[in-house]
Amino acid sequence: MRMPRTASSATSPTKTSAPPSRPRPAPGDLVPSRALTPVIGPELTLPDPGRTTHLQFRRFAGCPVCNLHLRSVARRHDEIERAGIREVVFFHSPAEELRAHVAHLPFAVVADPDKVAYAEFGVESHLRALLDPRGWPAIAGGVLRDTWELLRGRGRLPAGEQPAGRLGLPADFLITPDGRVAAVKYGEHIDDQWSVDELLTLAAQPAP
């Protein structure tokens, strides 16, 4: 199975969020191999035959909470790589929009505006993404941080229209070199994902 790879597929009309089309992957399940084309950098494969892959599903380009979380990952990226983990992050925005928002990140970012991979991995959208009070501190922190970056001339606003919605929930997967799901987390609100410490702990555990 291969994900969309060309510029034309990355910018095709976006479908609205739909319920997962298949059962959610669980630890021990096999993830079909496919090629991925990041918005910046060379093509890569999932799974990575040489190391564990941490697959993240985020929201739209410029999402303040996503920005806040990915900064924490970027700060410790060298440590993550030393642990034998490759970061791959999905956003449901077109490649040309996403590229300008993630050029500073030291890991692969993949555009999936039609949410093909989101459906495959059972990653959902829900009102609780924004309405759950546990996510409000991250929303406030992300907005303040992005506002400060804009005032310094270093940031950019997200697009006013988000065809794939603003209610996406995060999800994390650890995928072994042989394509097995080692661990998975489906977020219950906008800021419910693995921290770097949790990621490193999980990666050090034996795969199922």
Side-chain angles (χ1 to χ4, degrees):
M1 180 182 299
R2 297 173 72 85
M3 299 299 301
R5 297 174 52 190
T6 65
S8 60
S9 64
T11 59
S12 58
T14 304
K15 300 174 183 177
T16 56
S17 299
S21 59
R22 66 193 74 186
R24 284 176 160 183
D29 287 352
L30 184 65
V31 174
S33 177
R34 84 287 311 276
L36 300 174
T37 301
V39 296
I40 298 173
E43 184 178 272
L44 56 91
T45 60
L46 180 72
D48 186 316
R51 50 186 166 168
T52 298
T53 300
H54 175 210
L55 192 63
Q56 296 190 49
F57 286 88
R58 307 306 310 178
R59 301 168 72 230
F60 53 88
C63 160
V65 176
C66 304
N67 291 343
L68 194 65
H69 173 65
L70 292 180
R71 286 189 186 103
S72 72
V73 177
R75 283 195 298 269
R76 299 179 65 181
H77 186 242
D78 289 345
E79 184 179 354
I80 292 169
E81 286 209 317
R82 287 196 300 270
I85 304 167
R86 179 172 200 165
E87 290 285 342
V88 178
V89 183
F90 274 85
F91 278 85
H92 56 67
S93 292
E96 68 276 10
E97 179 183 342
L98 183 57
R99 192 173 292 114
H101 287 274
V102 302
H104 63 289
L105 294 176
F107 40 77
V109 178
V110 180
D112 184 16
D114 292 330
K115 302 185 82 170
V116 176
Y118 287 75
E120 177 186 349
F121 284 87
V123 183
E124 298 178 327
S125 297
H126 198 279
L127 279 171
R128 67 177 182 273
L130 299 180
L131 297 183
D132 192 313
R134 292 174 293 177
W136 294 351
I139 295 174
V143 170
L144 287 172
R145 177 64 182 264
D146 284 2
T147 300
W148 174 242
E149 291 295 307
L150 284 168
L151 292 174
R152 299 172 68 194
R154 297 184 179 183
R156 56 188 299 129
L157 291 169
E161 182 180 354
Q162 297 295 336
R166 299 175 182 269
L167 301 178
L169 291 164
D172 294 90
F173 297 83
L174 267 184
I175 300 174
T176 63
D178 64 354
R180 297 286 175 180
V181 176
V184 59
K185 178 179 179 65
Y186 290 98
E188 297 182 357
H189 57 80
I190 192 173
D191 192 39
D192 188 19
Q193 64 271 311
W194 290 331
S195 68
V196 174
D197 286 335
E198 289 173 317
L199 169 65
L200 295 174
T201 298
L202 287 166
Q205 297 174 358

